[in-house]
Amino acid sequence: MKILYVTSEAVPFCKTGGLADVAGSLPPALAEQGAEVAVVLPLYQRVRERFGNELKFECYDYVDLAWRHNYCGLFSLEKDGVTWYFLDNEQYFNRGSLYGQADDGERFAFFSRAVVRMLDHFKFWPEVVHCNDWQSALVPIYLKDDGVREDRYRSIKTVVTIHNIEYQGRYNPYVLGELFGLDAGWAKDGTMLLDGDANLLKGAILCADAVNAVSPTYANELKMPYFAHRMEGIMRQCSNKLSGVLNGIDMKLYDPRTDGRILKNFSLEDMEGKDACKAELQRMVGLREEPHTPIVAMVSRLVSHKGLDLICEVLHDMMELPMQLVVLGTGDQRYEDFFGWAAQQYPGRMSVRMDYNEDLSMAIYAGADLFLMPSKSEPCGLSQMIAMRYGTVPIVRETGGLKDTVQPCESWRDAGNGFSFANYSSGDMLHVIREAVYLYKDYPDVFGRLRQRAMSCDFSWARSAREYLRIYATITGQTWPIHSDTRRALEVSEGEAAPAEEPVPTEEPAPVVEAAPAEEPVPAVEAAPAEEPAPAEEPAPAEEPAPVAEAAPAEEPAPVVEAAPAEEPAPAEEPAPAEEPAPVEEPAPAPEKPAKKTRKTASKTASKADKAEKKTEKKSTSKKGTAGKKKSAE
C-alpha cells in the first residue's frame, strides 16, 4: 500500500506541538508494518539550517495558485524506512516561525496546492493521501476539484486527522478565488461555508473518504457542542466515516532503561534510579530534599483548557497536603502571574519555571511521583503516556485521550494505572489528589504496584499503525496482509485446533452412539426409572452385571463403564467393580420385590406371555443367581 502523509511539522525536523510527535513516529511505524510511506512538509528555515547538508535536491516545478505562478523546489531525505519530502519556497517558508504569520492562509494554500502539483515528481503515485489539521485541509478539496478534469486524481483516497478541532482555518468566503484559487460554488453549496466563513477544515471533512480523531473518546466528543466548536452538526453528519485512533509515543526514545537525558537509568526490575532522579529534581528546582514526600508535577502550556482554573481555586488546600509541587510551562499572563506569586508563598515546597526546557521536562518525568493533568479538554495527550513510561503516576480528568489511557486506581484489587475524576470540579480534583498522596505515604507497597502497572502499559505506535492500516484498507477496498507475527500466531492456533476437531466426529461418535449397550438397558434401566426414578435406578446396577457380563463385556467393555455413569456417576460405578460378593448377593432378593411391583404396573398393558417369561426368569435367577454372580465378580 502506497501512503503519502501530509503534515505541517514533524519530529525531528520542526516542532511546535503534538502534531510533530505524531508525524515523526506514525510514518515509520506504518513502514515497519510493510506499507510504502512518504511524508511531505514545508522546507522551513529551521529545517534548512539543521538538515540542509543531508537533503537531496530532486527537481523543481511551478505551482499555480489563483493568479500566482510560483517556484516550488523538491528536496528529499531517506530516514527510518520513510522518504521525507520538503517543498521549498523561500517567500512562504524561509521564516523564523512556523505559524502565526499574517499570510498563513496563503502560505498553506500554496503548500496544499504544491502537494497535488508535485505528485508526478514523487517516487510513487499514492493510493492514500493522509492529511492533518487545517494546514493541509485543502489537499482533499484540490484533489476533488482536479478530479473533475483528470481521471488519475479520482483513484486517490484521502484521510483527514483532527488533532484539535478548535483550529479550523476560517477566512472570508469572498477570497476563495483570489486566495485559494477555488470557484465560489464551493461556498455557495455549503461545502466550505460555516457561520458565514469559508471553513477549510469543514470542506476537508466533507470531501475526505475517512475522518479520524486522535482518540476514541475525542471522536465521540466531537459530536457534542461543548467540544466541537460549532462543528458538531458536521461531525454527526459524517459519523459513518468518523473513527478514533489513539496516538502513541516513541517507546525507544522514552525508555528509562536507556535514556541518556536522565540522571540515572532504571527499570521495572530495578527502581533505584528513580529515587536518584527524584533527589536530582529536588536539587534542580530548589525543593527540599525529602525522599518520602511525593512530588506532584505539571508540564503544560498555561492556558485555560488545560484545567488551570481548578488549580487556582484549591491551590492552598493542595499545599496543606504532605506534598511538593513543580510546574513547568508558559502561556497566558494571568496564569504565569498566579503561579509566580504562589511559588513565593511556599518556598521549598513549590517551584515554578516559566519556560520550556527539554532537559528539565525529562528530569520532571523521571523524578516526579505524580503527574497532574486536569484538562478541560484533551484530544489525546502525550504527557500522561510519557509520565507513565517513567513511573510517574498520572492524575487526570476523564476527557479525550486521558480517559482512554488512564484507568482509575482500584487498590482493593490491584487494578488501574493512575487516578482520574470525571466532573470538571476543583473539589473532585482535590479529593483525587488527596487520595493519591496518602496512598503514596501510607501504602507504599500498593503505590509501588500501581507504578509498575503504569510502566508496563503499551503505548507503542505499532498498535496505532495497525488501526490506520485498517482504515486505509477499508477506503481503498484492499485486503491488507496480516502482520507476520499475527499470521504465525493464527497459523499455530489453527494448526492446533484442526487435529483436535477432526478425531471427534470420526473416533468418538462410534462409542458414544453405543448401539448394543443402548438397547440392552432400555427394558430394565430406562423403563423403570420413567415411573419410579429413585427405587428403579438403584437396583438397576445389580441386575445389569448379569446380562452385561454375558454380552456387552465380551464385545465392548468400555461402553459398559460409560453407560453406568451416564445415569448415576458415583454410586453406579462403585458397586459394579466391587469385588466383595456379599454386598452384591444381599441386594439380589431386594430388587426382586420392586421388580414384581414394576411388572404388576406394566401387566395392565403387557401380554400374559410376557408375565410367564418374567416369572420363569425369576425362578431361574433365584436358583442360579448365586453362581452366576460369583462368576461375574471373578
Side-chain angles (χ1 to χ4, degrees), residues 5 7 9-12 19-29 80 84 250 461:
Y5 197 86
T7 179
E9 57 182 275
V11 170
L19 170 59
D21 293 308
V22 176
S25 301
L26 177 58
D80 299 328
W84 301 81
D250 189 334
W461 273 106

Side-chain angles (χ1 to χ4, degrees), residues 44-60:
Y44 297 109
Q45 177 181 340
R46 66 181 65 178
V47 177
R48 190 191 305 273
E49 292 172 352
R50 292 183 57 192
F51 298 91
N53 295 333
E54 302 177 37
L55 301 181
K56 175 186 176 183
F57 177 74
E58 296 287 347
C59 64
Y60 73 92

Side-chain angles (χ1 to χ4, degrees), residues 185-218:
W186 284 95
K188 290 180 180 179
D189 66 3
T191 302
M192 296 181 63
L193 192 65
L194 181 67
D195 296 335
D197 294 333
N199 191 303
L200 305 187
L201 187 59
K202 177 190 175 183
I205 292 171
L206 293 177
C207 291
D209 297 287
V211 181
N212 83 282
V214 289
S215 71
T217 298
Y218 189 53

Side-chain angles (χ1 to χ4, degrees), residues 557-577:
V560 176
V561 177
E562 295 178 6
E567 295 177 7
E568 291 188 28
E573 291 182 4
E574 291 177 0

Side-chain angles (χ1 to χ4, degrees), residues 53-112:
N53 295 333
E54 302 177 37
L55 301 181
K56 175 186 176 183
F57 177 74
E58 296 287 347
C59 64
Y60 73 92
D61 207 333
Y62 287 89
V63 176
D64 294 327
L65 181 64
W67 52 269
R68 306 168 195 80
H69 186 69
N70 291 330
Y71 158 87
C72 180
L74 180 65
F75 292 80
S76 67
L77 174 66
E78 298 290 334
K79 179 179 171 60
D80 299 328
V82 176
T83 302
W84 301 81
Y85 289 113
F86 300 88
L87 300 181
D88 175 37
N89 184 290
E90 294 188 2
Q91 176 186 347
Y92 290 130
F93 304 128
N94 195 32
R95 307 186 187 185
S97 60
L98 274 60
Y99 314 119
Q101 308 293 317
D103 60 344
D104 275 358
E106 181 179 344
R107 294 171 65 218
F108 290 104
F110 170 82
F111 171 62
S112 298

Side-chain angles (χ1 to χ4, degrees), residues 369-373 393-398 402 406-411 416-421 431-440 447 450:
D369 300 294
L370 297 164
F371 196 87
L372 182 59
M373 293 183 70
V393 179
I395 303 172
V396 305
R397 192 176 90 82
E398 296 175 4
L402 300 179
V406 179
Q407 288 74 48
C409 172
E410 295 178 347
S411 55
N417 58 7
F419 300 89
S420 68
F421 60 100
H431 173 77
V432 174
I433 293 175
R434 184 180 289 114
E435 178 185 356
V437 169
Y438 282 110
L439 185 70
Y440 177 92
F447 188 88
L450 173 63

